[in-house]
Amino acid sequence: MVAITFIQPDGASQTVTATVGDSVMQTALNNNIDGIFAECGGAMMCATCHCYVDDAWTDATGERVDGEEDMLDCAEAEMRPTSRLTCQIKVTDALDGLVVHLPEA
Amino acid sequence: MSGVVIIGAGQGGFQAAASLRSEGYSGPVLLIGEEAGLPYQRPPLSKTYLKSGDEGALALRPAAFYETQNITLRTGLRADRIDRARQVVVCGDTEFPYDHLILATGTRNLRPPIPGIEHALDLRTLADAARLRGALDGVQRVGVIGGGFIGLEFAAVARSLGREVTVAEAAPRLMARAVSPAMSERFAAKHREMGTEIILGDGVTAIDAVGFTLSSGRRVNADLILLAAGVRPNTELAWEAGLEVANGILVNDQLLTSDPAISALGDCASFPDHRSHHLIRLESVQAAADHARLIAKRIVHGPSAPYHAVPWFWSDQADWKLQIAGLARPEDSAEILPDGSVIRLKGDIVTAVETVNNAKVHMMARKRMAGATPMTRESFAAPV
Ligand SMILES: Cc1cc2nc3c(=O)[nH]c(=O)nc-3n(C[C@H](O)[C@H](O)[C@H](O)COP(=O)(O)OP(=O)(O)OC[C@H]3O[C@@H](n4cnc5c(N)ncnc54)[C@H](O)[C@@H]3O)c2cc1C
């Protein structure tokens, strides 16, 4: 089990357990986290699962995948260097403790 | 208060239930679905699922979601009849009363009356996909009847698993209903490059246990045959209840049927296209979800602006992601851009943009098409 913390724009935070192999998006949906809509179900066809990875975790979550940046560019909230689509971050043991921030809706 | 009853627990039915709650609806919400198990997404069935077999990844939400959202989920239950006068849905001996009813019954596979059709497998439900996945294991030669999205996605997976694959399409080109001739050609070349045999303009006349025969007399040998020749909307419930049906359950721009207590959405609904003013029926995640959201909002907050969401669609075939923004009519012209993208035009208005592995242009097109004025050829070309 891996712990992931989602922090809302107002500072409210929720720590949930994630299953290795799931995406961070699935983890958010499973726990009904506000701000992750995931309209396309993880097919990289929308940018409604956008998050900002906490600075301490950007190395661990790695690089954006092909095409991800173009989608982020179209997200409702501004794209920052730490922006990722949560559907493209796979939960691994190395991500235990991961903190992601949700954009302003 | 009887609340909202939703028939069909697929992509759109699920979204309607979830959106009713997120819009603040506090009455009872009952989601009835014929398939067993939790509501799930279909797109991966012809893509990643065939490889991974991971059923867990398909569920739209875990069981706990329905509990916390106070959505009553009754799956493995078929709605038999709608009694509009009494506002009840009849399932066997049980009656479920409704204040508002949402029809989200989707489509089923078209099974043309071809001799030997029983030898061909379907790909619509998780049960179909599981069967197909199992069957793929032991075979070498795969035959696909129908060169639409699902047939081609399946063909690409089977080919990547090292199977010999033949796709037979009755129309003169692939995905003919949905993309331009230029895009059909690009994809035909792509599949052929992968080693898949693509046969065009030659329909299937007979099927047997070891292959099928085409109208030209040509023989295709296959140990596994997938039938992917299109679908039919599930409109019987609506029709028998006396609702208007026209290639789908007829709805207005508020997605209401001819009975103001009943809405319809997604694959089974025939709705007025805000841009072309034609009645259309779309088979896409986008339409199902956007319809569901409008209906939920309308139930909670009253009538809103007419439905006008920009259609979008994708199909993953090998390492190519085809993306379509907008919706072209067959008669719309096509302009091929230097990078191989195709824009569809009606006069000066861009009706659709077809791209391959180009999310940037796809998203730009979607954004601009959502604007108050139609996207012209000129505004498409302008830098973002
Ligand atoms: C293999 C496959 C791949 C796809 N790939 C893509 C893709 O890449 N991109 C995309 O945008 N779309 C794709 N689609 C299409 C997309 O999945 C559908 O458009 C979407 O699921 C439609 O949602 P819906 O709610 O209208 O219908 P469905 O999701 O089909 O749900 C309808 C449900 O209603 C139930 N039902 C019907 N009648 C009754 C009754 N009388 N009582 C109770 N329940 C009933 C059915 O059992 C079914 O579960 C794909 C579809 C398939 C099959």
Side-chain angles (χ1 to χ4, degrees):
Chain A
M1 287 298 203
V2 172
I4 300 182
T5 300
F6 294 89
I7 301 181
Q8 296 292 339
D10 67 1
S13 99
Q14 233 175 313
T15 300
V16 302
T17 45
T19 307
V20 169
D22 276 3
S23 65
V24 172
M25 174 202 83
Q26 277 170 306
T27 307
L29 292 183
N30 290 352
N31 292 282
N32 215 10
I33 301 288
D34 276 344
I36 298 287
F37 299 98
E39 254 171 45
C40 76
M44 268 227 291
M45 281 300 294
C46 67
T48 62
C49 70
H50 178 195
C51 78
Y52 303 118
V53 175
D54 192 81
D55 289 333
W57 288 92
T58 48
D59 285 343
T61 50
E63 302 280 309
R64 292 174 188 151
V65 307
D66 265 0
E68 187 176 340
E69 191 155 326
D70 293 331
M71 300 305 295
L72 285 165
D73 212 14
C74 299
E76 284 294 313
E78 68 164 327
M79 175 161 77
R80 298 184 198 152
T82 56
S83 285
R84 290 296 307 272
L85 294 178
T86 53
C87 66
Q88 301 303 315
I89 308 176
K90 254 214 158 42
V91 177
T92 60
D93 286 320
L95 292 186
D96 191 14
L98 173 67
V99 177
V100 302
H101 301 263
L102 297 161
E104 211 66 65
Chain B
M1 184 185 205
S2 305
V4 178
V5 173
I6 303 164
I7 304 179
Q11 185 87 44
F14 155 77
Q15 186 64 54
S19 292
L20 276 167
R21 289 298 181 230
S22 61
E23 293 294 334
Y25 185 74
S26 58
V29 174
L30 170 64
L31 184 53
I32 301 173
E34 188 174 10
E35 290 181 74
L38 293 171
Y40 62 91
Q41 356 171 14
R42 298 186 197 284
L45 297 181
S46 49
K47 307 178 180 77
T48 49
Y49 169 81
L50 285 173
K51 291 186 174 171
S52 72
D54 184 1
E55 289 191 14
L58 299 174
L60 284 155
R61 292 293 185 281
F65 174 85
Y66 301 91
E67 281 160 38
T68 57
Q69 295 295 300
N70 197 15
I71 294 166
T72 308
L73 181 61
R74 294 287 304 267
T75 54
L77 184 65
R78 181 181 168 76
D80 297 317
R81 207 160 50 78
I82 304 163
D83 185 336
R84 292 205 287 135
R86 293 169 52 232
Q87 299 208 171
V88 294
V89 173
V90 182
C91 304
D93 299 334
T94 318
E95 292 191 341
F96 300 101
Y98 63 82
D99 295 317
H100 196 85
L101 174 65
I102 302 174
L103 300 175
T105 48
T107 59
R108 63 175 175 279
N109 273 11
L110 199 64
R111 292 212 132 235
I114 301 171
I117 188 84
E118 67 277 8
H119 295 288
L121 297 176
D122 281 325
L123 180 45
R124 174 78 202 161
T125 64
L126 174 55
D128 292 337
R131 194 174 311 125
L132 202 56
R133 204 176 112 74
L136 251 181
D137 243 0
V139 302
Q140 190 47 38
R141 296 168 311 177
V142 170
V144 178
I145 301 173
F149 295 115
I150 293 174
L152 291 172
E153 289 182 357
F154 175 75
V157 171
R159 188 68 202 124
S160 75
L161 295 173
R163 305 298 182 273
E164 290 165 37
V165 183
T166 303
V167 177
E169 166 60 52
R173 60 188 182 91
L174 298 176
M175 305 176 282
R177 275 194 310 142
V179 303
S180 60
M183 198 51 79
S184 298
E185 238 170 77
R186 262 186 91 180
F187 273 82
K190 170 74 175 173
H191 283 274
R192 285 175 175 142
E193 205 174 281
M194 289 167 63
T196 297
E197 183 162 19
I198 302 282
I199 304 172
L200 297 170
D202 209 350
V204 174
T205 53
I207 306 174
D208 54 60
V210 288
F212 49 82
T213 307
L214 302 174
S215 47
S216 64
R218 186 167 173 176
R219 174 78 195 165
V220 174
N221 295 317
D223 319 303
L224 185 167
I225 301 164
L226 173 70
L227 176 70
V231 297
R232 177 143 294 166
N234 291 323
T235 56
E236 288 76 4
L237 270 183
W239 175 252
E240 286 159 14
L243 297 175
E244 276 181 68
V245 169
N247 175 40
I249 303 166
L250 193 65
V251 294
N252 64 14
D253 63 15
Q254 296 290 319
L255 304 170
L256 275 174
T257 66
S258 43
D259 179 338
I262 307 180
S263 305
L265 63 75
D267 282 15
C268 70
S270 182
F271 66 99
D273 178 17
H274 174 75
R275 291 172 185 80
S276 72
H277 307 293
H278 283 88
L279 267 183
I280 57 173
R281 195 174 62 73
L282 295 177
E283 291 156 16
S284 72
V285 166
Q286 173 274 324
D290 281 337
H291 285 170
R293 280 188 278 262
L294 181 135
I295 292 169
K297 277 205 181 101
R298 195 200 61 222
I299 290 173
V300 179
H301 308 293
S304 61
Y307 179 80
H308 65 269
V310 175
W312 52 263
F313 186 81
W314 80 98
S315 174
D316 294 333
Q317 298 174 34
D319 56 343
W320 278 15
K321 188 184 211 78
L322 168 68
Q323 298 181 306
I324 305 172
L327 186 71
R329 308 273 318 160
E331 64 272 17
D332 292 354
S333 64
E335 180 185 334
I336 306 167
L337 302 182
D339 73 343
S341 303
V342 177
I343 53 179
R344 305 292 301 275
L345 292 154
K346 182 180 183 184
D348 189 39
I349 307 292
V350 178
T351 53
V353 177
E354 304 164 359
T355 52
V356 176
N357 293 348
N358 193 340
K360 199 184 196 76
V361 169
H362 172 75
M363 290 304 283
M364 182 275 284
R366 257 161 69 178
K367 260 195 178 166
R368 293 202 184 168
M369 284 175 174
T373 51
M375 178 165 72
T376 60
R377 178 67 186 89
E378 199 179 18
S379 69
F380 173 80
V384 185

